[in-house]
Amino acid sequence: MALIAELRLCQIGDSVEVLSSDQGSASDIPAWIAKVRHELVSVEERDEVWHIIVKKLK
Amino acid sequence: MTQKILIVGGGLAGTIIANGLARQLYGELKRGEITVQVIGNSDTHLYQPGLLYLPFGRVRERELMRPERAILHRLVDFHLDEATHIDVEAKVVSTRSGHEHSFDYLVLATGSRLDFDAIPGMAAGSQCFYDLDGARAMRDALENFDGGRIVVNVNVPHKCPMAPLEITFMLRDYLAKRGIWERSELLYTFPIGRLHGLEPVANWAAEHFERLGITSETFFNAKTVDAQKRVVHSEEDVDLAYDLLITIPPHRGAEVIESSALGDGGWIPTDRETLLCEGATNVFVCGDTTNLPISKAGSTAHFEADTIIDNLVSLVSGGKMTSRYDGKVFCFLETGFDSGTYIWFNYETPPHPGPPSQMIHWYKLAYNRMYWLSARGLL
């Protein structure tokens, strides 16, 4: 939800990094990105925190 | 020397804080040692959660409104005006009328606004009960509805996150009571892959949707609305035809927050425990105005207000801030015309919605009237 709201404020080509302690984010966000057709740049877990970087394409 | 506390925003958050301060600092205000001032852009205080009932004719409109001046403590100065610039460094707030208000401590409680412009066609093609005119228009639209597909379309960010579910459950009862449920469809859309941002609430809602025959489309973020063809098109390239479209549009924070460069989208970066504006030691943020990833709800603002009141009282008395906001939120959740449930949660504890009951529904109706005691700082 916070990612969608943040992307609304971004310009095309901007990237957003999501930090989440919820493992569900690591699967939910890529699923939405595939559907909406933005770019999933990376998904990494570091110290039990998921770092997910998304690039706005449209 | 007089210490000045200035509150920008005369909604729920600003009003509760002003009254709470006036009650705790009565002597200091009386002696002129401290002033509490509110800048608000409306002379009428609206109990927004009550708008949920208006489209169904289940509340008296006049019960939702009181004069702001009458709710505020008599020792609070109220300025009916609009903040146009906030200079945190210079400790000055400028207003539409040309006044400049200096402060020692500032509370920003400027709330949120509906951003229909973010989605072309949405204003013309949909109904929205989140403001007074919209709720009235939705009441008229429902009177003219005689069956077909109602789409309840939720977008982010939005305040009062239980309200979209509540209106859906109440619509289900409304259609049944009018005898047109058999020739109607109720379709609820949500931006992420479930029915609510809070996973336990989403799972709970899914069970009740199935029981009641309410359908859903997830991963749906409205992009455009074609009011002529009555189709809502999503960012995910899904088209949904509708006979009646009820939307919760994306929200933005107040314009003055954006124009004063205090936060993107009008949301101010805020410390989640002290509720201080990041980088400041004398500027607090309350309610929808924060950028915290928690519900933008009346109860959030109320619990945050309690923290801010205690800390401000301590600071102006020469003490230290000891109160911390723990993320507490409490929401009633109507599940129809005659039943309801509730949830509470905080930063550490997830919500667990219980089974709906008539008693909780009645308690919510009672709270709708007791709200005025909360606004006055008594409850």
Side-chain angles (χ1 to χ4, degrees):
Chain A
M1 298 265 282
L3 170 65
I4 298 171
E6 191 63 33
L7 284 173
R8 281 192 182 280
L9 301 173
C10 292
Q11 304 296 318
I12 292 171
D14 288 350
S15 292
V16 174
E17 181 175 11
V18 179
L19 274 62
S20 174
S21 56
D22 177 11
Q23 190 170 358
S25 301
S27 55
D28 292 350
I29 290 176
W32 179 66
I33 292 300
K35 196 165 182 182
V36 78
R37 297 199 298 274
H38 290 309
E39 181 184 337
L40 184 65
V41 177
S42 62
V43 180
E44 285 179 35
E45 186 189 11
R46 297 199 293 270
D47 300 327
E48 299 182 354
V49 175
W50 290 91
H51 296 249
I52 304 159
I53 299 178
V54 170
K55 186 174 182 181
K56 181 171 178 170
L57 294 186
K58 60 179 191 177
Chain B
M1 190 169 164
T2 301
Q3 296 190 81
K4 298 176 185 173
I5 302 173
L6 179 62
I7 300 167
V8 183
L12 180 152
T15 302
I16 290 178
I17 290 173
N19 286 335
L21 290 171
R23 287 181 191 286
Q24 291 203 41
L25 298 168
Y26 180 83
E28 289 87 342
L29 264 65
K30 192 86 175 163
R31 293 190 294 273
E33 296 164 7
I34 292 172
T35 62
V36 175
Q37 302 184 70
V38 174
I39 300 172
N41 60 6
S42 174
D43 59 0
T44 301
H45 191 103
L46 174 69
Y47 176 59
Q48 295 180 52
L51 296 174
L52 177 69
Y53 303 88
L54 206 151
F56 307 107
R58 298 180 80 88
V59 69
R60 298 180 191 100
E61 255 189 51
R62 62 181 178 167
E63 289 187 8
L64 304 180
M65 288 169 269
R66 298 277 192 282
E68 177 68 13
R69 181 60 269 180
I71 297 170
L72 285 171
H73 192 285
R74 64 187 173 86
L75 294 183
V76 172
D77 295 325
F78 177 56
H79 304 283
L80 180 58
D81 207 342
E82 185 179 346
T84 51
H85 187 72
I86 299 163
D87 190 333
V88 171
E89 298 296 320
K91 299 184 182 177
V92 172
V93 173
S94 309
T95 67
R96 180 81 56 202
S97 69
H99 286 89
E100 291 195 337
H101 298 272
S102 60
F103 61 84
D104 296 295
Y105 294 96
L106 179 67
V107 178
L108 296 172
T110 43
S112 56
R113 57 196 162 119
L114 308 174
D115 186 15
F116 282 101
D117 293 341
I119 300 173
M122 180 167 275
S126 68
Q127 307 293 328
C128 176
F129 62 97
Y130 269 45
D131 64 20
L132 185 58
D133 288 342
R136 287 170 175 159
M138 182 175 157
R139 178 181 58 201
D140 297 342
L142 280 177
E143 278 178 11
N144 295 324
F145 183 76
D146 194 36
R149 176 191 268 182
I150 298 179
V151 173
V152 179
N153 164 242
V154 188
N155 298 283
V156 286
H158 64 266
K159 65 182 171 186
C160 208
M162 297 307 149
L165 285 174
E166 292 182 290
I167 201 80
T168 304
F169 288 126
M170 291 167 81
L171 280 165
R172 174 66 176 85
D173 264 5
Y174 173 83
L175 296 170
K177 285 185 191 303
R178 275 194 51 196
I180 56 175
W181 170 247
E182 299 305 323
R183 57 177 189 272
S184 299
E185 180 190 358
L186 196 47
L187 172 60
Y188 172 96
T189 78
F190 204 72
I192 61 174
R194 56 185 189 235
L195 300 177
H196 194 269
L198 300 164
E199 192 168 4
V201 176
N203 295 338
W204 172 90
E207 286 179 32
H208 289 278
F209 273 26
E210 186 174 353
R211 176 176 63 82
L212 295 166
I214 300 167
T215 55
S216 61
E217 174 82 23
T218 55
F219 285 136
F220 188 96
N221 291 275
K223 185 177 183 182
T224 58
V225 175
D226 187 330
Q228 298 296 320
K229 293 180 180 171
R230 291 195 287 195
V231 172
V232 53
H233 178 71
S234 78
E235 296 278 0
E236 296 80 7
D237 280 335
V238 175
D239 286 338
L240 292 176
Y242 65 84
D243 296 292
L244 181 61
L245 177 62
I246 294 163
T247 54
I248 288 81
H251 290 31
R252 290 184 85 94
E255 200 172 344
V256 66
I257 303 300
E258 293 189 74
S259 64
S260 302
L262 289 173
D264 292 343
W267 318 121
I268 300 175
T270 305
D271 183 279
R272 69 184 220 149
E273 292 186 341
T274 64
L275 302 173
L276 280 166
C277 171
E278 283 185 8
T281 55
N282 64 335
V283 180
F284 292 88
V285 190
C286 192
D288 295 356
T289 315
T290 77
N291 74 336
L292 297 174
I294 55 174
S295 299
K296 293 189 183 301
S299 80
T300 309
H302 190 164
F303 293 124
E304 288 175 347
D306 289 343
T307 299
I308 292 172
I309 292 165
D310 285 345
N311 285 333
L312 269 172
V313 168
S314 185
L315 286 171
V316 296
S317 307
K320 291 184 175 180
M321 298 200 305
T322 54
S323 185
R324 294 289 182 271
Y325 177 59
D326 66 357
K328 186 177 180 184
V329 181
F330 178 101
C331 293
F332 286 110
L333 207 172
E334 295 282 28
T335 52
F337 284 162
D338 303 307
S339 65
T341 184
Y342 71 94
I343 54 170
W344 81 268
F345 52 98
N346 61 24
Y347 290 140
E348 307 297 332
T349 312
H352 292 290
S357 73
Q358 189 181 49
M359 188 184 75
I360 296 173
H361 161 71
W362 281 108
Y363 196 86
K364 173 161 184 171
L365 293 187
Y367 180 78
N368 288 341
R369 290 177 173 174
M370 288 192 285
Y371 165 72
W372 302 106
L373 297 176
S374 291
R376 287 184 168 87
L378 294 168
L379 183 66

